[in-house]
Amino acid sequence: MAAVFEVHQGTSPVILGLPHTGTYVPDDIKVRLNDNGLTLSDTDWHIEKLYDGLLDSVTTVRATFHRYCIDANRDPEGISLYPGQNTTGLIPETDFDGVAIWKEGEAPTKADIADRIARFHKPYHDALAAEIERVKSIHGVAVLYDCHSIRSHIPFLFEGKLPNFNIGTDMGKTCDARIEAAAVEITARAQGYSSILNGRFKGGWTTRHYGRPEQNIHAIQMELAQSTHLMSESLPFAYDDSKAARLRLTLKPLLQRIEQIALEMKRS
């Protein structure tokens, strides 16, 4: 079986988490997907390329498996991130439009969930946790910046049009206030973009699970509207170099500022 995660180690106090960019689906799972599921439409397309090279010596931990195998940003206990709202589960049964992704009779079972936690979810999070501890051992502090993207219009999940920058800190619980404030300030002054703090997306399970400011581990989620860096938010979800280059002009100083704050924490 192919490796289910990739790690690139750096010496910065910042770690980039990439749980939803992978498109690997092993044959035993792929054969159970219907034609809609096989499009893998709910991928965080090209996010690894978008962030590449923005911060020197940053550590990245990337899941290579697709979220239809199992969602690395969901609670392994199956607890909903947003009770009472439409969302997708630990192993999604539908896409983001509420349309089935599995062939009839092939929806995931309890046995599938246990198997895929062991095969995919746990190895990815073991690797991520290890890198957080390694970076913290260097600096005394670690900041997990969880990288995401999603289509701007998904009526099944939210009304209207999503802002370009969607910052999630679980209402300020997952990171130092200075990190949250920097994200708000830098995205708010980016001309031609919209931003929101703890709107529809308040931080997924990864952010909420690892963000422990009292233990010098901080986590923040950035959910980008895919209109900011794709040619279109439909197949083939092609990367737009011009849009991405403009977006990177905001993402780079944001990551640099977060790193600076982390280093200031180390010195204090």
Side-chain angles (χ1 to χ4, degrees), residues 17-31:
L18 298 155
H20 290 154
T21 65
T23 55
Y24 169 61
V25 181
D27 290 342
D28 65 304
I29 297 176
K30 184 181 290 186
V31 72

Side-chain angles (χ1 to χ4, degrees), residues 3 10 17-18 28 33 50 67 70 105 111 113 118 129 138 140 142-143 162 171 179-181 186 188:
L18 298 155
D28 65 304
L33 289 167
L50 179 68
R67 69 190 304 157
I70 193 167
I113 293 171
I138 297 171
V143 180
L162 199 68
M171 310 308 290
I179 294 172
E180 181 184 84
I186 291 171

Side-chain angles (χ1 to χ4, degrees), residues 118-238:
R119 289 167 67 185
F120 305 104
H121 195 285
K122 187 176 186 299
Y124 170 74
H125 281 285
D126 285 349
L128 182 56
E131 289 308 304
I132 290 171
E133 286 304 312
R134 182 186 66 83
V135 166
K136 185 183 174 187
S137 73
I138 297 171
H139 297 284
V141 62
V143 180
L144 172 60
Y145 178 104
D146 215 36
C147 309
H148 295 265
S149 73
I150 195 167
R151 286 179 284 141
S152 302
H153 295 274
I154 307 179
F156 180 69
L157 297 183
F158 51 82
E159 295 181 359
K161 183 180 179 181
L162 199 68
N164 300 131
F165 297 100
N166 299 268
I167 304 160
T169 65
D170 195 21
M171 310 308 290
K173 298 174 187 174
T174 65
C175 68
D176 186 280
R178 288 170 288 179
I179 294 172
E180 181 184 84
V184 170
E185 176 193 350
I186 291 171
T187 58
R189 70 172 184 240
Q191 293 188 356
Y193 295 103
S194 55
S195 64
I196 193 168
L197 172 65
N198 292 315
R200 172 60 180 84
F201 298 97
K202 296 177 174 63
W205 182 78
T206 303
T207 306
R208 302 182 200 193
H209 177 69
Y210 292 103
R212 298 288 182 270
E214 71 281 0
Q215 298 175 21
N216 294 322
I217 300 173
H218 306 266
I220 186 169
Q221 177 174 305
M222 179 63 76
E223 187 89 51
L224 297 168
Q226 291 181 343
S227 59
T228 60
H229 57 283
L230 299 185
M231 291 184 183
S232 70
E233 296 183 332
S234 59
L235 288 168
F237 299 102

Side-chain angles (χ1 to χ4, degrees), residues 20 70-82 88-91 113 117 121 125 203-209:
H20 290 154
I70 193 167
D71 193 327
N73 199 34
R74 296 290 184 273
D75 190 329
E77 299 297 324
I79 299 169
S80 176
L81 290 171
Y82 300 101
T88 53
L90 182 58
I91 299 182
I113 293 171
I117 287 173
H121 195 285
H125 281 285
W205 182 78
T206 303
T207 306
R208 302 182 200 193
H209 177 69

Side-chain angles (χ1 to χ4, degrees), residues 229-250:
H229 57 283
L230 299 185
M231 291 184 183
S232 70
E233 296 183 332
S234 59
L235 288 168
F237 299 102
Y239 190 74
D240 188 313
D241 288 300
S242 178
K243 284 184 178 180
R246 181 168 173 259
L247 181 62
R248 283 164 59 91
L249 294 176
T250 296

